[in-house]
Amino acid sequence: MENMILKFNFDNFYGLYTKQLRKFYEIKQIEMANALHVSRSALSKMESNSQEMDAALFDSVLSFIKTIDSNFVFLKDPSILKEYDKWVRDCAYHFVHLTAENILGPLKEFVERTNPHSFAFFHK
C-alpha cells in the first residue's frame, strides 16, 4: 500500500466540474456554450463525459466563471495530489492503530490551507 497512488482522471473531471460550476452559478447551458464558442450540444456531451473536454477549454470555463465571481479561484497544481495521497495513507494507518489523535492537528491545518476549488479537493 505504501507505493499506491490513486490516479486522478483529469479528462473526466473537466466536463463534470464544468457542469457543477454551471449549475452552482445558475448559468444556462447555451449561455456557457456561447461564452466558450462551442455548440450547446458539444457542451452537453462534455458535461456527460461522452465527449472529452481538453485543458485549454477548461481554462476558458474557469476564466468565464471568474467574470461572474471575481473571488473564484481554482488551484490547478496536480503536485498536491501526491500530498493528499500521503494524507489518505497516514489517516488509514493511524485509524487502524488507534493513534488518529496524533495527526489531527497537522491534518486540520492541511485541509484548511487547501482550496475547495482544486484538483486536489476533488481527488480527496
Side-chain angles (χ1 to χ4, degrees), residues 20-81:
Q20 182 177 343
L21 285 172
R22 188 175 61 73
K23 294 209 178 256
F24 179 80
Y25 287 104
E26 298 177 348
I27 302 166
K28 291 184 169 125
Q29 201 171 49
I30 190 68
E31 181 185 350
M32 182 168 276
N34 288 340
L36 300 175
H37 307 290
V38 299
S39 69
R40 191 211 54 78
S41 173
L43 180 59
S44 176
K45 289 176 184 174
M46 287 180 237
E47 288 183 348
S48 66
N49 276 324
S50 59
Q51 181 177 325
E52 247 182 53
M53 177 182 282
D54 63 20
L57 188 57
F58 183 65
D59 286 342
S60 296
V61 169
L62 298 177
S63 294
F64 178 65
I65 296 299
K66 187 76 172 167
T67 66
I68 294 168
D69 179 358
S70 62
N71 294 317
F72 177 79
V73 176
F74 184 86
L75 299 179
K76 292 183 5 175
D77 181 3
S79 67
I80 199 168
L81 295 175

Side-chain angles (χ1 to χ4, degrees), residues 86-123:
K86 179 192 171 307
W87 277 108
V88 169
R89 285 191 309 275
D90 287 353
C91 288
Y93 173 86
H94 287 285
F95 177 76
V96 168
H97 290 79
L98 302 175
T99 58
E101 66 278 354
N102 296 347
I103 63 165
L104 290 180
L107 177 61
K108 182 177 186 281
E109 181 182 312
F110 175 73
V111 170
E112 286 176 349
R113 76 174 167 83
T114 58
N115 184 322
H117 295 286
S118 70
F119 290 140
F121 182 82
F122 289 93
H123 178 65

Side-chain angles (χ1 to χ4, degrees), residues 1-6 82 85-86 89-90 93:
M1 183 165 159
E2 183 64 33
N3 294 326
M4 185 179 109
I5 294 182
L6 301 173
K82 288 182 181 179
D85 285 339
K86 179 192 171 307
R89 285 191 309 275
D90 287 353
Y93 173 86

